PDB file of all heavy atoms in Angstrom:
ATOM      1  N   ALA P  86     -29.818  14.857 -16.481  1.00 98.00           N
ATOM      2  CA  ALA P  86     -29.322  15.720 -17.557  1.00 98.00           C
ATOM      3  C   ALA P  86     -28.649  14.895 -18.647  1.00 98.00           C
ATOM      4  O   ALA P  86     -28.808  15.180 -19.841  1.00 98.00           O
ATOM      5  CB  ALA P  86     -28.341  16.750 -16.989  1.00 98.00           C
ATOM      6  N   GLU P  87     -27.901  13.864 -18.265  1.00 98.00           N
ATOM      7  CA  GLU P  87     -27.244  12.999 -19.239  1.00 98.00           C
ATOM      8  C   GLU P  87     -28.278  12.255 -20.085  1.00 98.00           C
ATOM      9  O   GLU P  87     -28.113  12.101 -21.298  1.00 98.00           O
ATOM     10  CB  GLU P  87     -26.334  12.007 -18.522  1.00 98.00           C
ATOM     11  CG  GLU P  87     -25.522  11.120 -19.441  1.00 98.00           C
ATOM     12  CD  GLU P  87     -24.360  11.832 -20.113  1.00 98.00           C
ATOM     13  OE1 GLU P  87     -23.909  12.877 -19.602  1.00 98.00           O
ATOM     14  OE2 GLU P  87     -23.903  11.343 -21.167  1.00 98.00           O
ATOM     15  N   ALA P  88     -29.349  11.816 -19.442  1.00 98.00           N
ATOM     16  CA  ALA P  88     -30.402  11.108 -20.187  1.00 98.00           C
ATOM     17  C   ALA P  88     -31.058  12.031 -21.212  1.00 98.00           C
ATOM     18  O   ALA P  88     -31.318  11.624 -22.355  1.00 98.00           O
ATOM     19  CB  ALA P  88     -31.440  10.558 -19.214  1.00 98.00           C
ATOM     20  N   ARG P  89     -31.304  13.275 -20.821  1.00 98.00           N
ATOM     21  CA  ARG P  89     -31.892  14.247 -21.767  1.00 98.00           C
ATOM     22  C   ARG P  89     -30.924  14.530 -22.902  1.00 98.00           C
ATOM     23  O   ARG P  89     -31.311  14.622 -24.074  1.00 98.00           O
ATOM     24  CB  ARG P  89     -32.244  15.557 -21.048  1.00 98.00           C
ATOM     25  CG  ARG P  89     -33.401  15.468 -20.077  1.00 98.00           C
ATOM     26  CD  ARG P  89     -33.896  16.846 -19.672  1.00 98.00           C
ATOM     27  NE  ARG P  89     -32.843  17.676 -19.100  1.00 98.00           N
ATOM     28  CZ  ARG P  89     -32.509  17.697 -17.817  1.00 98.00           C
ATOM     29  NH1 ARG P  89     -33.133  16.895 -16.962  1.00 98.00           N
ATOM     30  NH2 ARG P  89     -31.558  18.493 -17.368  1.00 98.00           N
ATOM     31  N   GLN P  90     -29.632  14.688 -22.569  1.00 98.00           N
ATOM     32  CA  GLN P  90     -28.629  15.021 -23.575  1.00 98.00           C
ATOM     33  C   GLN P  90     -28.504  13.910 -24.617  1.00 98.00           C
ATOM     34  O   GLN P  90     -28.305  14.175 -25.803  1.00 98.00           O
ATOM     35  CB  GLN P  90     -27.287  15.266 -22.876  1.00 98.00           C
ATOM     36  CG  GLN P  90     -26.258  16.004 -23.710  1.00 98.00           C
ATOM     37  CD  GLN P  90     -25.299  15.048 -24.433  1.00 98.00           C
ATOM     38  OE1 GLN P  90     -25.370  13.829 -24.294  1.00 98.00           O
ATOM     39  NE2 GLN P  90     -24.396  15.626 -25.211  1.00 98.00           N
ATOM     40  N   LYS P  91     -28.653  12.670 -24.195  1.00 98.00           N
ATOM     41  CA  LYS P  91     -28.498  11.539 -25.102  1.00 98.00           C
ATOM     42  C   LYS P  91     -29.789  11.176 -25.828  1.00 98.00           C
ATOM     43  O   LYS P  91     -29.770  10.352 -26.749  1.00 98.00           O
ATOM     44  CB  LYS P  91     -27.980  10.326 -24.321  1.00 98.00           C
ATOM     45  CG  LYS P  91     -26.535  10.483 -23.875  1.00 98.00           C
ATOM     46  CD  LYS P  91     -26.038   9.250 -23.140  1.00 98.00           C
ATOM     47  CE  LYS P  91     -24.556   9.385 -22.803  1.00 98.00           C
ATOM     48  NZ  LYS P  91     -24.047   8.238 -22.013  1.00 98.00           N
ATOM     49  N   ASN P  92     -30.890  11.774 -25.424  1.00 98.00           N
ATOM     50  CA  ASN P  92     -32.178  11.497 -26.076  1.00 98.00           C
ATOM     51  C   ASN P  92     -32.190  12.167 -27.448  1.00 98.00           C
ATOM     52  O   ASN P  92     -32.116  13.385 -27.547  1.00 98.00           O
ATOM     53  CB  ASN P  92     -33.314  12.020 -25.206  1.00 98.00           C
ATOM     54  CG  ASN P  92     -34.690  11.694 -25.756  1.00 98.00           C
ATOM     55  OD1 ASN P  92     -34.851  11.392 -26.944  1.00 98.00           O
ATOM     56  ND2 ASN P  92     -35.693  11.767 -24.906  1.00 98.00           N
ATOM     57  N   PRO P  93     -32.290  11.410 -28.532  1.00 97.00           N
ATOM     58  CA  PRO P  93     -32.214  12.009 -29.873  1.00 97.00           C
ATOM     59  C   PRO P  93     -33.364  12.948 -30.198  1.00 97.00           C
ATOM     60  O   PRO P  93     -33.271  13.732 -31.144  1.00 97.00           O
ATOM     61  CB  PRO P  93     -32.217  10.790 -30.807  1.00 97.00           C
ATOM     62  CG  PRO P  93     -32.802   9.683 -30.005  1.00 97.00           C
ATOM     63  CD  PRO P  93     -32.427   9.940 -28.590  1.00 97.00           C
ATOM     64  N   SER P  94     -34.419  12.918 -29.403  1.00 97.00           N
ATOM     65  CA  SER P  94     -35.568  13.790 -29.694  1.00 97.00           C
ATOM     66  C   SER P  94     -35.444  15.168 -29.054  1.00 97.00           C
ATOM     67  O   SER P  94     -36.256  16.062 -29.339  1.00 97.00           O
ATOM     68  CB  SER P  94     -36.858  13.123 -29.206  1.00 97.00           C
ATOM     69  OG  SER P  94     -36.889  13.045 -27.787  1.00 97.00           O
ATOM     70  N   THR P  95     -34.452  15.380 -28.191  1.00 98.00           N
ATOM     71  CA  THR P  95     -34.306  16.680 -27.541  1.00 98.00           C
ATOM     72  C   THR P  95     -33.619  17.670 -28.476  1.00 98.00           C
ATOM     73  O   THR P  95     -32.866  17.281 -29.374  1.00 98.00           O
ATOM     74  CB  THR P  95     -33.490  16.556 -26.245  1.00 98.00           C
ATOM     75  OG1 THR P  95     -32.201  15.990 -26.546  1.00 98.00           O
ATOM     76  CG2 THR P  95     -34.203  15.683 -25.235  1.00 98.00           C
ATOM     77  N   PRO P  96     -33.854  18.965 -28.284  1.00 98.00           N
ATOM     78  CA  PRO P  96     -33.218  19.972 -29.151  1.00 98.00           C
ATOM     79  C   PRO P  96     -31.698  19.987 -28.989  1.00 98.00           C
ATOM     80  O   PRO P  96     -31.166  19.623 -27.931  1.00 98.00           O
ATOM     81  CB  PRO P  96     -33.816  21.299 -28.654  1.00 98.00           C
ATOM     82  CG  PRO P  96     -35.011  20.936 -27.845  1.00 98.00           C
ATOM     83  CD  PRO P  96     -34.748  19.574 -27.291  1.00 98.00           C
ATOM     84  N   HIS P  97     -31.008  20.405 -30.054  1.00 98.00           N
ATOM     85  CA  HIS P  97     -29.568  20.653 -29.940  1.00 98.00           C
ATOM     86  C   HIS P  97     -29.372  21.756 -28.896  1.00 98.00           C
ATOM     87  O   HIS P  97     -30.096  22.750 -28.882  1.00 98.00           O
ATOM     88  CB  HIS P  97     -28.994  21.125 -31.268  1.00 98.00           C
ATOM     89  CG  HIS P  97     -29.301  20.212 -32.425  1.00 98.00           C
ATOM     90  ND1 HIS P  97     -29.151  18.846 -32.372  1.00 98.00           N
ATOM     91  CD2 HIS P  97     -29.749  20.490 -33.690  1.00 98.00           C
ATOM     92  CE1 HIS P  97     -29.481  18.309 -33.531  1.00 98.00           C
ATOM     93  NE2 HIS P  97     -29.857  19.281 -34.348  1.00 98.00           N
ATOM     94  N   ARG P  98     -28.362  21.588 -28.056  1.00 98.00           N
ATOM     95  CA  ARG P  98     -28.163  22.543 -26.959  1.00 98.00           C
ATOM     96  C   ARG P  98     -26.686  22.898 -26.842  1.00 98.00           C
ATOM     97  O   ARG P  98     -25.821  22.009 -26.776  1.00 98.00           O
ATOM     98  CB  ARG P  98     -28.670  21.939 -25.648  1.00 98.00           C
ATOM     99  CG  ARG P  98     -28.620  22.884 -24.448  1.00 98.00           C
ATOM    100  CD  ARG P  98     -29.234  22.192 -23.227  1.00 98.00           C
ATOM    101  NE  ARG P  98     -29.218  23.027 -22.042  1.00 98.00           N
ATOM    102  CZ  ARG P  98     -30.138  23.926 -21.733  1.00 98.00           C
ATOM    103  NH1 ARG P  98     -31.182  24.098 -22.562  1.00 98.00           N
ATOM    104  NH2 ARG P  98     -30.070  24.641 -20.636  1.00 98.00           N
ATOM    105  N   VAL P  99     -26.399  24.198 -26.815  1.00 98.00           N
ATOM    106  CA  VAL P  99     -25.025  24.679 -26.690  1.00 98.00           C
ATOM    107  C   VAL P  99     -24.906  25.542 -25.438  1.00 98.00           C
ATOM    108  O   VAL P  99     -25.712  26.459 -25.224  1.00 98.00           O
ATOM    109  CB  VAL P  99     -24.590  25.486 -27.930  1.00 98.00           C
ATOM    110  CG1 VAL P  99     -23.201  26.086 -27.720  1.00 98.00           C
ATOM    111  CG2 VAL P  99     -24.594  24.604 -29.174  1.00 98.00           C
ATOM    112  N   LEU P 100     -23.908  25.241 -24.632  1.00 99.00           N
ATOM    113  CA  LEU P 100     -23.583  26.053 -23.462  1.00 99.00           C
ATOM    114  C   LEU P 100     -22.622  27.149 -23.896  1.00 99.00           C
ATOM    115  O   LEU P 100     -21.494  26.870 -24.314  1.00 99.00           O
ATOM    116  CB  LEU P 100     -22.949  25.176 -22.385  1.00 99.00           C
ATOM    117  CG  LEU P 100     -22.547  25.851 -21.080  1.00 99.00           C
ATOM    118  CD1 LEU P 100     -23.757  26.425 -20.353  1.00 99.00           C
ATOM    119  CD2 LEU P 100     -21.789  24.872 -20.180  1.00 99.00           C
ATOM    120  N   VAL P 101     -23.067  28.390 -23.836  1.00 99.00           N
ATOM    121  CA  VAL P 101     -22.245  29.547 -24.202  1.00 99.00           C
ATOM    122  C   VAL P 101     -21.723  30.161 -22.907  1.00 99.00           C
ATOM    123  O   VAL P 101     -22.519  30.560 -22.048  1.00 99.00           O
ATOM    124  CB  VAL P 101     -23.057  30.576 -25.003  1.00 99.00           C
ATOM    125  CG1 VAL P 101     -22.187  31.787 -25.362  1.00 99.00           C
ATOM    126  CG2 VAL P 101     -23.645  29.942 -26.263  1.00 99.00           C
TER     127      VAL P 101
END
Side-chain angles (χ1 to χ4, degrees):
E87 184 74 22
R89 290 194 304 272
Q90 197 265 358
K91 290 182 175 177
N92 184 341
S94 68
T95 58
H97 306 313
R98 185 176 180 85
V99 175
L100 180 63
V101 179

